[in-house]
Amino acid sequence: MAIYTEEMTVNMGPQHPSTHGVLNLKLKTDGEIVHDARPNIGYLHRCAEKIAENVTYPQFIPYTDRMDYVAAMNQNLGYVLGVERLMNVEVPLRAQYIRVIMAELNRIASHLLFMACYALDSGAFTPFLYAFREREMILDLFEATCGARLTYNYIWIGGVSRDLPQGFVDKARQFLDYLSPRVKEYHELFSYNKIFIERTANVGILPKETAIAYGVTGPTLRGSGVRWDLRRDEPYLIYDRFDFDVPVGRGEMGTVGDCWDRYMVRMREIEESAKIVRQALDQYEQLPPGEVRAKVPRALKVPPGEVYMRTEAPRGEIGFYIVSDGGLKPYRVKVRAPSFSNLSVFHEISRGGMIADIVLILGSVDIVLGDIDR
Amino acid sequence: MQELTDTLVRFLPFLQAIPRSLILGTLIIIGATVVLAFLVVVAAVSTYVERKVAGQLQARLGPMRVGWHGLLQFVADPIKLLLKEDIIPSNVDRPLYILAPYIVFCGSFGAFAALPYSTRLRISDLNVGIFYILAVTSLVVIGIIMAGWSSNNKWSLFGAMRSAAQIVSYEIPVALSILVAVAAAGSLNLQEIIQAQAGGVHRWFVFRSPFLFLAFFLYYISSLAEVNRTPFDLPEADSELVAGYHTEYSGLRFAWFFLAEYVDMFLVGAIASALFLGGWNGPIFSGPISGAIMFIGKAYLLVLVMMWIRWTVPRLRVDQLMYMSWKVLTPFSFACVLGQGAWMVL
Amino acid sequence: MRKYFTDIYLGIWTVLLGMKITLIHLLRPTVTLQYPEEKLYPEKKKKRSGALPILYEWSPPEGYRGDLLLKNDDCIGCMLCAQACPVDCFDIVTERVSPGEDLGKTSKGQPKKLKVLKFDIDMTKCMFCGLCVEPCPTNGLVMTKNYEFSSYNRRDLVHHFARPEKYRKKDSPGSGGVGGAAPTSPPPNVGEEKGGGGGSGLTR
C-alpha cells in the first residue's frame, strides 16, 4: 500500500533572519527536500529609476548609494563613469587613483560582510563580529575622507568631491597590514572547518553553461570556473596599471561551482583587492599635488546620447544605461543590477537540496535586496 | 529520605504522633523545592554566564547595564518573562500546547533526583540510578513533539520532527558510553560508581583505561546533541526556522523551555563528571560539603566548554547529524564497550 | 574506508583549531565602546581600548556630515543650496531690500542684497548627502559634527534658521512719518513690516 505524501508549500517569508533583506521565497518541499524555490521580490522597491528622471545628474548620485548599500562606492563609480563618457570629461589622474582605492576598499568591506553573514547563516556566530570589527576600520577610513559611513556620495562627476585627508595613506597601509593575519585567522576558524566544508561542498552546484546562460556575473560566476572579470577584460579607470589575479573556483573541496568555491573566491578576492590598494597607494604617493575634480559647470548639461557603462561591483557586473536628451535631468536611467541576475539562477541550483541548504545557497549567491529592487 | 525521616523523628519527639508517610511526603516536597530552586538559580546564572562568555569570545562585552557589569541580568530576564502577556494562539491544540513546556522541564528536572552530590548529600539512592536518568531524559522528546505539533505552524513542525529524530538517534551512543563506565564500576548505582573512583585524580575513570577516555568524549559529544546545542542545534536553528519548535511560545511558557535547556546542560555536565571525572572525589576535597562543591564545579566547567564550542563551530545539517550518530558515534561506542570488556578481563 | 577515518580526524582537528582561535580572543581586550559614556565627541579625547591600531582621534573626523547649521550672518539668500538638494528639504523665503537699506556684509566681505525671512531645513527629509554645502558661496551653510539630535516630536527636527526680527530692528521706524512714536513702539509681531520699510516688496 503506497503512502500518500503531499508537497508542502512553505513561505520563507519577507521577515526571516537569514534572507538577506526582505525577500520572500516560496518553497515547495517534500519533508526536508526542496522541489522548487521561487523568489518573490519587490518589497524594497523605491522607484530609484523613476526618481532619476526628476532630479539632475549630480543629484542622482546619493540615490545610487542607496541601491547596493553595502558597496556604495562602486555604484557611484558606475553611474559617474557613464555620465562622464557621455560628456567626454577628462578626469584628473589623482582622482582616478582615489577612485580605485575607494572602490577596492569597499570591495573588501563588502566581502567581509558577506563572510560575516554567511557564517551567521551556517550557525557560527563569532566570525560575524570579527568581520565587523575589520569593516569598522574601513568605515572609519571612509568617514575621514567623505564624512559618511555607508552612503558616501563621494565620487562626483568629474572626479571626487574632496581630496584624501592627511595621513590617509599611512592609516590605510596600517589597516592592510592588520588585515592579512586576520584573513588567515578566518581561514583557520571557519573556511577550512570540516563542518563548514561538509555543509557547503557539493551543495548548490552551478555549472558553467547555466551560469553564462542566466547572465550571472561576479564572484558567483567565477566560482563556477569562468575567468571573467571586467577589471581585467574591459578595463575602466586605470585598472590596467595594477597587477592582480582573478581567482576562480577550482573545486578544491567538492565540485567546481559549489558554495564553497563561491565563498573561497570572495575570500581570495579580499587579498587581491588588498594588493591593488597597496599598489595604488604607492603610485598615488608619487603623484604631484593637483586637482581632484575636473571643472564642470554647476548646472550640468549632458549632451544628448545614450551610454551603457558596466563596472565590476563586488556582487557582479553593474550596468548603467543612461539616455540623455541634452537637458539638466536624465531622460532615462536603467540600472542592470548584479544581484537581480544572480538571483534568477537560484531556483535552478536549489532543486533537490534540503531546507538547510537553501539558506546556504542563498547566502553564497550574495544578494542585497536594495540592488534587486532598487 | 528514609534515614532523614528517622533522624528527624528521633530528634523531635513530637513528630511521633504524625504518621511516617506524611513526614516522608513533606520532606520529599521540601527536597524537591530545594532542588528546583537550586536548578532555577543555576540555569538563570548560566544564561548570564553564556552571554558574558559569548561576548568575550567575540571581542565585545556582554551585558553591562543591569547591575555592576550586568550581574543582575539573570534576575531581570526572568522577571521580564514572567510579566509578559500569556498569549495562546487561537488555532493551537490547547491541551498539548499547554502541557508541552512542563513535560520538557520535568524530563530534565526529574533526573536530578538520582544524582549524588556528596557522600551524605543526595535525594535518593536508587539502585538503578543511571538507568532512571536515561529514561527520564527521554521524556523531553515527547514534550518537543507536542510543542511543535500543537503550534499549528509549519516551521515549528519542522523543528519538532528534526528534534525528535535527533534525540532518539543520539540516545544510543549516550547509553553505550554510559555502559562503558557502568561496566568499569560494576553497578548502576551512581553513588557506587563515584565511590569506585575514590582515592585521587589518577583513579578517575577517565584516566583508567583508553576506552573510558574515548567514552568520555563520545558521551560528551552525543549529549551535546541530546541538549540541542550547536553544532547540533538544528531544532532551534535561529537562522533557518526562526525559533523552531518554540516559535509560538512566549512569556512564562517560553521560560520553561529556556530553563529546561540550561538545566539539561548542567545535567549532562553533572553526569559526565559523576561517571568519568570522579563526581565528588574532587582534586583536593572529598568531604560532605566540599565534595558537593567540587562536583558542581566540575559540572559547571563542562558547561563552560559547551558554551565555548557553541560559539565557535557552525551547525550540522540534518542528514549529516544522522550520519554522525549512526555511522560514527555508534560504532565507536560499540567498540568502546567491547574494548572495555576485554580490558577488564585481561 | 580511509576517507572515513580521515574525515573524522579532520573534523576533530579543525574544530579544535577553531576553538583555539576563539580562546585567544577570550584573552584579548574587547573592542566595543560603551555608548553613551564612551563615544566619539570632539571634546573628549581618550584612547580607545582594544587590539585595534588607533585610526583616528576620539572624535568624528573633519568633514563629518552631521547636522546642518546656517550661520545667519553669512547667508546672502542666493538659494543655491535649495536648488542643489535632491529631496527638497529647504524652505527659503527672501525679500529684496528697499533702496537705501543696508544689510551689511558677510564675514568674508560679500555684500548682502536679500533679506532672509524664512530659512527652514526639514531634517526628517534630509539625506545628509552634503550637496547643499558645496555650492554655498559664503560657506554659510555647514555640516557640523553633531549626530545626536534625535527628538521626541517631528517639529523639533525642523531647523528654523532665519531671524526676521533683526531686519525689523535695522529698519529705521519713522523715516516716512507713518507709525507714530518711533522709540516706544517696537512692533511686537511680524505683520508690522509695512510700518518701517515703506513700499517694500512682497511678504509671502
Side-chain angles (χ1 to χ4, degrees), chain A residues 65-129:
Chain A
D65 271 332
R66 283 150 172 85
M67 288 189 317
D68 180 358
Y69 34 83
V70 177
M73 287 283 190
N74 297 83
Q75 320 283 102
N76 278 352
L77 185 65
Y79 172 70
V80 164
L81 283 177
V83 175
E84 285 171 358
R85 200 176 268 194
L86 270 182
M87 285 174 56
N88 268 326
V89 179
E90 176 76 33
V91 178
L93 193 60
R94 201 177 168 81
Q96 304 219 25
Y97 273 102
I98 298 180
R99 281 180 179 183
V100 167
I101 294 175
M102 290 295 149
E104 292 306 311
L105 276 178
N106 214 341
R107 193 181 306 264
I108 297 178
S110 169
H111 286 327
L112 279 173
L113 186 110
F114 156 76
M115 185 207 81
C117 295
Y118 206 48
L120 198 61
D121 285 344
S122 74
F125 302 96
T126 4
F128 180 77
L129 291 151

Side-chain angles (χ1 to χ4, degrees), chain A residues 8-11 16-18 31-32 120-123 125-126 129-130 193 195 198-199 203 354-357, chain B residues 57-60 154-155 158 162 230-231 238-242 310-320:
Chain A
M8 209 160 63
T9 306
V10 185
N11 241 341
H16 195 93
S18 65
E32 281 264 354
L120 198 61
D121 285 344
S122 74
F125 302 96
T126 4
L129 291 151
Y130 297 165
N193 193 327
I195 299 181
E198 287 291 311
R199 284 208 65 187
V203 163
M354 299 202 191
I355 294 191
D357 290 335
Chain B
L57 287 173
Q58 293 165 351
R60 60 183 175 93
K154 281 177 187 160
W155 294 111
F158 264 131
R162 282 177 174 176
T230 322
D238 319 24
S239 11
E240 289 170 36
L241 306 174
V242 189
R310 173 185 189 179
W311 296 107
T312 311
V313 176
R315 200 176 288 137
L316 283 176
R317 212 174 54 199
V318 183
D319 59 331
Q320 290 160 354

Side-chain angles (χ1 to χ4, degrees), chain A residues 1-7 30-31:
Chain A
M1 183 151 95
I3 302 179
Y4 172 62
T5 55
E6 220 179 58
E7 240 182 26
D30 177 16

Side-chain angles (χ1 to χ4, degrees), chain B residues 95-97 99-100 103 141-151 160 249:
Chain B
L96 293 182
Y97 184 87
L99 205 51
I103 293 191
V141 185
I142 303 181
I144 291 181
I145 297 184
M146 279 167 63
W149 171 259
S150 67
S151 293
Y249 285 88

Side-chain angles (χ1 to χ4, degrees), chain C residues 8-190:
Chain C
I8 296 176
Y9 165 71
L10 270 180
I12 300 176
W13 177 240
T14 49
V15 168
L16 287 176
L17 266 186
M19 284 169 68
K20 174 193 84 165
I21 296 206
T22 35
L23 188 66
I24 294 178
H25 276 275
L26 192 69
L27 307 167
R28 282 197 197 142
T30 57
V31 300
T32 46
L33 300 176
Q34 296 249 82
Y35 187 85
E37 284 90 34
E38 312 168 353
K39 58 186 168 184
L40 301 176
Y41 214 63
E43 290 96 61
K44 280 202 189 140
K45 298 226 189 274
K46 220 167 95 173
K47 264 196 178 329
R48 197 192 275 214
S49 71
L52 299 176
I54 297 166
L55 279 192
Y56 280 94
E57 283 275 278
W58 193 281
S59 70
E62 286 304 316
Y64 183 76
R65 304 210 296 247
D67 199 5
L68 280 167
L69 177 69
L70 175 76
K71 291 181 260 187
N72 263 314
D73 279 337
D74 286 344
C75 179
I76 60 173
C78 60
M79 311 237 292
L80 280 175
C81 48
Q83 278 174 14
C85 177
V87 285
D88 294 331
C89 57
F90 286 83
D91 188 7
I92 307 182
V93 170
T94 53
E95 184 185 295
R96 296 190 72 92
V97 296
S98 52
E101 254 186 291
D102 180 24
L103 289 175
K105 296 193 193 296
T106 67
S107 52
K108 290 210 178 102
Q110 292 140 317
K112 289 202 263 196
K113 297 220 180 68
L114 290 167
K115 286 196 262 192
V116 179
L117 296 176
K118 185 179 187 202
F119 197 111
D120 288 347
I121 305 183
D122 189 354
M123 294 310 280
T124 59
K125 290 189 195 156
C126 173
M127 60 154 134
F128 298 95
C129 59
L131 281 172
C132 52
V133 176
E134 199 245 345
C136 182
T138 61
N139 284 339
L141 186 64
V142 294
M143 292 192 99
T144 60
K145 290 184 187 177
N146 182 21
Y147 55 92
E148 297 163 301
F149 53 96
S150 331
S151 109
Y152 284 102
N153 52 39
R154 280 206 192 151
R155 264 173 292 126
D156 290 344
L157 282 175
V158 180
H159 290 312
H160 304 283
F161 283 124
R163 293 277 166 269
E165 329 58 82
K166 69 176 183 202
Y167 298 123
R168 268 177 274 121
K169 290 209 186 65
K170 280 199 177 141
D171 293 336
S172 46
S175 61
V178 188
T184 59
S185 62
N189 39 8
V190 185

Side-chain angles (χ1 to χ4, degrees), chain B residues 45-67:
Chain B
V45 172
S46 292
T47 57
Y48 169 72
V49 169
E50 164 124 47
R51 288 172 69 171
K52 270 306 213 191
V53 164
Q56 280 299 116
L57 287 173
Q58 293 165 351
R60 60 183 175 93
L61 310 155
M64 290 285 285
R65 294 281 166 190
V66 191

